[in-house]
């Protein structure tokens, strides 16, 4: 019974529209239907809606030779509603895309934070296990280093070369005091400062600092670019969701969506061609975004492919402790030569009473963090980036086809049904239908489009910048390493896969 009732209802609407189309837009006998819709939409006080058609001499947009159910105040309310309606449709259309990008941006950032904590724990554990006497002193410098890593990764204007060098500069006095020239007493603060300043000339760690600079720069910079690109994606959608409509566009939207109500045609929808002309005109700025949005997704895809293998952020951060270990071994091997150079530059060691405490680092903290991850999970960071790009790829032409999608699926009348052409209910729209984009609107019979909105021009410039930067980073990194399907962490002789803090997308 329910299906039959629905079919009868649709058939009744079609018959009414056909009848109206055959007769033209004659005034309705009363404004009861208009009053009901006005009240249902909560557009304003019902007392302002006429009960019967009247002359609409004061109307600005919904003009008609026939008596009308609209007043000037109603027209103003309809104007506001028309803009709100189209903005709501825009936001609904982009909601899935916006959620996809914002959810992954938050998840990638959270994962990078976990990677930094793990890498810091690994490095502190190295000192506790192998160099216990200097572990407490070294822990301060380790913590400062990974704080710098986080600040850089999440947008601070800094140099990877600067904070990597600073780490090895501050580590050298500690290593000299405990490994190269240990004594019963500690070196003085003044002597430690001399060692710190001389580290780059003495080179106690060999080429390890230079190697660390290369690895950190090669992994952190593109990873930061990836995060910033995701943030820009959300900004683009937020900007286009709240597009500012011109006066011409606002009037055209009113004429398309609510002017038929003034003639009692509350069930009518615009003709497809008429809808396309108006929406393509109002969204001409968004069509200009299309080419750059496609380039943005392609650049993300290229950058994602380059963020894998031995130069990936997870590999570099989680193996930094190995570089530190190699640096300490190098310092021990170079000990006699280093001591000789130190004596020439800083003189013999100046010492003070020993105050170095033992290892105070909680190694269980590392195990507790590892328990957050599953050894059996296939959710590696590389796989997740691939999955994200795969879900993003269908949205390449989102902005180019947005106007057509809105009219075909949301706004326009179905094929074969009478439709509103801006002035009457007709069987088909007879004016020329223009294409998408600013240039095509010069021939638009329904909307006058003057030029690109400065806000949209600004967002296009940002897209161009990110595309150029991401493509450059992808090209720079892609040749130097191969993609890997999984990243394994060597922990106490066993392998554990890193599980990311998100669920698999549907």
């Amino acid at each position: 019974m329910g299906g039959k009732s629905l079919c009868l209802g649709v058939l009744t609407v079609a018959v009414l529209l056909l009848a109206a189309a055959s007769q033209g837009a004659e005034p309705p006998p009363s404004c009861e239907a208009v009053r009901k819709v006005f009240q249902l939409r909560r557009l304003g006080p019902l007392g302002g809606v006429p009960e019967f058609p009247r002359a609409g001499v004061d109307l600005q947009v919904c003009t008609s030779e026939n008596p009308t159910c609209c007043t000037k105040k109603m027209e103003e309310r309809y104007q506001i509603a028309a803009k709100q309606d189209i903005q709501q449709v825009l936001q609904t259309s982009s909601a899935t895309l916006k959620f996809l990008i914002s959810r992954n941006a938050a998840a990638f950032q959270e994962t990078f934070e976990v990677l930094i904590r793990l890498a810091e724990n690994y490095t502190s554990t190295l000192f506790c296990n192998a160099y216990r006497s200097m572990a407490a002193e070294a822990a301060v410098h380790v913590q400062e280093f990974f704080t710098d890593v986080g600040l850089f990764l999440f947008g601070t204007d800094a140099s990877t070369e600067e904070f990597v060098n600073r780490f090895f500069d501050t580590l050298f006095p500690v290593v000299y005091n405990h490994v190269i020239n240990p004594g019963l007493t500690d070196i003085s603060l003044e002597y430690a400062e001399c060692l710190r300043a001389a580290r780059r000339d003495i080179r106690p760690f060999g080429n390890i600092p230079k190697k660390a600079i290369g690895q950190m720069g090669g992994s952190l910079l593109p990873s930061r670019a990836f995060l910033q690109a995701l943030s820009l994606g959300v900004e683009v959608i937020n900007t286009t969701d709240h597009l500012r409509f011109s006066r011409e566009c606002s009037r055209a939207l009113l004429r398309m969506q609510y002017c038929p109500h003034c003639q009692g045609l509350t069930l009518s929808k615009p003709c497809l061609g008429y809808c396309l002309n108006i929406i393509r005109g109002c969204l001409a700025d968004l069509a200009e975004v299309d080419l750059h949005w496609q380039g943005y997704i392609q650049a993300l895809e290229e950058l994602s492919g380059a963020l894998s293998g031995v130069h990936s952020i997870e590999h570099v951060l989680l193996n930094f402790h190995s570089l530190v270990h190699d640096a300490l071994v190098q310092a021990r091997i170079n000990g006699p030569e280093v001591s000789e150079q130190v004596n020439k530059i800083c003189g013999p060691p100046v010492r003070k009473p020993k105050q170095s405490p033992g290892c105070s680092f909680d190694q269980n903290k590392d195990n507790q963090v590892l328990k957050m991850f599953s050894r059996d999970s296939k959710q590696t960071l590389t796989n997740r980036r691939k999955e994200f790009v795969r879900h993003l790829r269908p949205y390449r032409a989102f902005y180019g086809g947005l106007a057509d999608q809105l009219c075909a699926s949301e706004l326009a009348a179905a094929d074969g049904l009478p439709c509103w052409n801006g002035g009457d209910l007709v069987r088909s729209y007879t004016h020329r239908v223009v294409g998408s984009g600013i240039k095509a609107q010069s021939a638009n019979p329904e909307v006058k489009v003057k030029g690109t909105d400065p806000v949209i021009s600004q967002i296009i410039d940002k897209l161009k910048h990110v595309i150029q930067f991401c493509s450059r980073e992808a090209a720079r990194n892609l040749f130097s390493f191969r993609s890997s399907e999984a990243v394994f962490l060597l922990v106490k002789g066993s392998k554990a896969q890193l599980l990311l803090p998100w669920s698999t997308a549907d």
Side-chain angles (χ1 to χ4, degrees):
M1 286 296 291
K4 290 182 179 179
S5 299
L6 179 61
C7 290
L8 286 173
V10 173
L11 182 60
T12 301
V13 171
V15 169
L16 290 172
L17 290 174
L18 284 167
S22 63
Q23 297 172 9
E26 295 184 0
S30 79
C31 299
E32 185 60 29
V34 178
R35 288 168 62 86
K36 286 182 178 179
V37 174
F38 196 85
Q39 184 180 33
L40 184 65
R41 291 293 313 274
R42 298 180 180 179
L43 299 178
L46 193 58
V49 184
E51 294 185 7
F52 297 96
R54 51 178 283 280
V57 293
D58 56 346
L59 298 182
Q60 300 294 313
V61 179
C62 300
T63 56
S64 174
E65 296 179 356
N66 297 322
T68 175
C69 287
C70 286
T71 65
K72 185 178 181 181
K73 195 67 177 177
M74 287 175 65
E75 193 179 50
E76 292 171 357
R77 300 273 186 174
Y78 281 145
Q79 177 101 55
I80 296 171
K83 289 193 290 186
Q84 290 176 341
D85 287 350
I86 197 67
Q87 283 187 331
Q88 181 62 47
V89 171
L90 282 174
Q91 291 169 20
T92 301
S93 298
S94 65
T96 303
L97 173 60
K98 182 178 177 180
F99 178 73
L100 173 67
I101 298 177
S102 59
R103 172 175 171 266
N104 277 276
F108 280 118
Q109 178 165 333
E110 183 181 352
T111 301
F112 290 162
E113 289 170 354
V114 172
L115 284 172
I116 292 170
R117 290 203 306 272
L118 278 175
E120 181 181 340
N121 290 346
Y122 288 178
T123 309
S124 295
T125 299
L126 164 70
F127 283 102
C128 279
N129 289 344
Y131 303 91
R132 196 172 186 84
S133 64
M134 63 174 173
E137 290 179 77
V140 175
H141 307 306
V142 170
Q143 184 179 22
E144 289 175 349
F145 172 76
F146 283 104
T147 297
D148 287 336
V149 169
L151 290 173
F152 176 84
L153 191 58
F154 301 129
T156 300
D157 187 16
S159 162
T160 52
E161 180 177 2
E162 179 184 337
F163 65 74
V164 171
N165 271 327
R166 184 163 57 244
F167 170 72
F168 284 104
D169 287 347
T170 56
L171 186 62
F172 178 41
V174 181
V175 174
Y176 179 85
N177 191 39
H178 293 275
V179 176
I180 297 174
N181 193 1
L184 297 177
T185 55
D186 289 333
I187 57 175
S188 67
L189 293 176
E190 293 78 7
Y191 197 79
E193 177 59 27
C194 180
L195 292 175
R196 188 199 64 76
R199 195 275 303 174
R200 301 181 200 187
D201 294 326
I202 297 175
R203 300 180 69 245
F205 306 118
N207 288 324
I208 301 299
K210 183 178 180 181
K211 184 177 180 181
I213 290 169
Q215 290 187 4
M216 285 291 167
S219 67
L220 295 183
L221 191 59
S223 295
R224 182 170 78 164
F226 189 76
L227 286 178
Q228 291 176 340
L230 296 188
S231 296
L232 177 61
V234 175
E235 182 184 348
V236 170
I237 298 169
N238 283 336
T239 301
T240 56
D241 275 355
H242 299 88
L243 189 66
R244 296 182 299 185
F245 296 112
S246 67
R247 181 174 179 270
E248 284 289 334
C249 174
S250 297
R251 290 166 68 92
L253 289 172
L254 166 61
R255 189 179 302 112
M256 180 181 81
Q257 293 175 268
Y258 287 102
C259 282
H261 289 216
C262 298
Q263 300 182 27
L265 302 173
T266 57
L267 299 176
S268 69
K269 283 192 170 186
C271 302
L272 178 59
Y274 176 57
C275 179
L276 286 173
N277 275 339
I278 289 181
I279 301 302
R280 284 177 178 174
C282 289
L283 303 189
D285 285 331
L286 302 196
E288 298 299 313
V289 175
D290 177 56
L291 180 64
H292 309 288
W293 182 256
Q294 292 190 42
Y296 164 79
I297 292 181
Q298 182 178 349
L300 270 181
E301 189 169 355
E302 292 172 356
L303 185 60
S304 176
L307 291 173
S308 305
V310 295
H311 284 186
S312 66
I313 186 172
E314 56 269 38
H315 181 87
V316 169
L317 287 182
L318 297 174
N319 286 281
F320 181 73
H321 67 285
S322 297
L323 274 182
V324 174
H325 177 264
D326 292 344
L328 297 175
V329 170
Q330 190 73 39
R332 186 187 295 275
I333 293 172
N334 296 337
E337 180 183 345
V338 169
S339 293
E340 184 178 343
Q341 292 184 66
V342 166
N343 287 337
K344 289 180 181 178
I345 297 174
C346 300
V350 178
R351 296 189 176 274
K352 63 178 181 176
K354 201 170 191 69
Q355 296 178 343
S356 301
C359 177
S360 59
F361 174 69
D362 182 9
Q363 297 184 55
N364 290 326
K365 181 181 177 183
D366 187 40
N367 294 330
Q368 291 165 5
V369 175
L370 282 174
K371 288 177 183 178
M372 297 167 55
F373 307 107
S374 168
R375 295 167 184 258
D376 299 325
S377 171
K378 295 181 180 179
Q379 285 285 74
T380 66
L381 191 52
T382 298
N383 287 341
R384 182 57 192 185
R385 278 191 293 256
K386 289 180 180 178
E387 182 185 347
F388 166 63
V389 169
R390 180 173 63 83
H391 282 87
L392 191 61
R393 200 174 291 128
Y395 292 96
R396 276 179 182 266
F398 174 75
Y399 286 107
L402 186 56
D404 297 44
Q405 176 198 335
L406 296 184
C407 285
S409 62
E410 298 280 346
L411 302 173
D415 288 342
L417 286 179
C419 54
W420 177 254
N421 69 352
D424 209 345
L425 203 61
V426 297
R427 293 181 181 275
S428 63
Y429 181 69
T430 57
H431 291 298
R432 173 188 175 184
V433 178
V434 300
S436 299
I438 296 291
K439 291 183 179 179
Q441 303 316 306
S442 60
N444 195 321
E446 307 296 346
V447 188
K448 291 182 180 179
V449 179
K450 296 181 179 179
T452 306
D453 185 337
V455 175
I456 298 299
S457 297
Q458 186 178 26
I459 210 72
I460 287 174
D461 288 341
K462 289 184 178 182
L463 282 170
K464 287 179 179 178
H465 176 76
V466 165
I467 290 167
Q468 183 180 25
F469 185 76
C470 289
S471 298
R472 184 174 68 244
E473 285 303 308
R476 187 172 68 87
N477 284 304
L478 193 58
F479 78 94
S480 62
F481 59 90
R482 299 175 181 177
S483 297
S484 59
E485 291 298 322
V487 177
F488 293 95
L489 314 182
L490 188 60
V491 182
K492 296 182 179 179
S494 63
K495 290 182 177 179
Q497 278 190 312
L498 183 60
L499 172 65
L500 308 183
W502 46 51
S503 302
T504 304
D506 293 332

